[in-house]
Amino acid sequence: YSQNLDHSKTGVFQAKLNFEQDNFTPYLVFATGEEALPPLSKAKIKVFGIGCVWNLNSEWGARVDLTHEDRTDFYKHNTIGLGFSRYF
């Protein structure tokens, strides 16, 4: 939660559910809230996602996720994300 100088507010609720396995962790994500970035109008947002993280070995990991973002009266956006991690 944050409040801007014009008293508009940004606040988001988010949750993530992991299903941890031996070498991989599938997950679900959800977020909803209101975003205010003056002078732009306020936007109501909802985000749904599903993904998985794989531990390839003790030093490397990989991630893939699919995300759907819905900004009411503005746009709907779908994303595929890929990533790699180096563990230290």
Side-chain angles (χ1 to χ4, degrees), residues 4 6-10 33-45 71-74:
N4 300 310
D6 69 349
H7 301 290
S8 62
K9 298 174 184 169
T10 294
E34 189 171 275
E35 183 177 71
L37 299 170
L40 303 174
S41 60
K42 295 178 185 176
K44 292 184 185 278
I45 59 172
R71 292 186 179 256
T72 305
D73 299 327
F74 190 52

Side-chain angles (χ1 to χ4, degrees), residues 8-63:
S8 62
K9 298 174 184 169
T10 294
V12 176
F13 166 81
Q14 63 183 25
K16 181 177 179 183
L17 181 60
N18 292 329
F19 303 96
E20 193 165 338
Q21 306 296 315
D22 290 333
N23 290 328
F24 69 99
T25 304
Y27 57 86
L28 299 171
V29 295
F30 172 75
T32 185
E34 189 171 275
E35 183 177 71
L37 299 170
L40 303 174
S41 60
K42 295 178 185 176
K44 292 184 185 278
I45 59 172
K46 285 189 181 176
V47 177
F48 303 92
I50 186 170
C52 191
V53 175
W54 287 273
N55 294 324
L56 302 174
N57 57 41
S58 63
E59 295 182 358
W60 289 95
R63 176 190 59 84

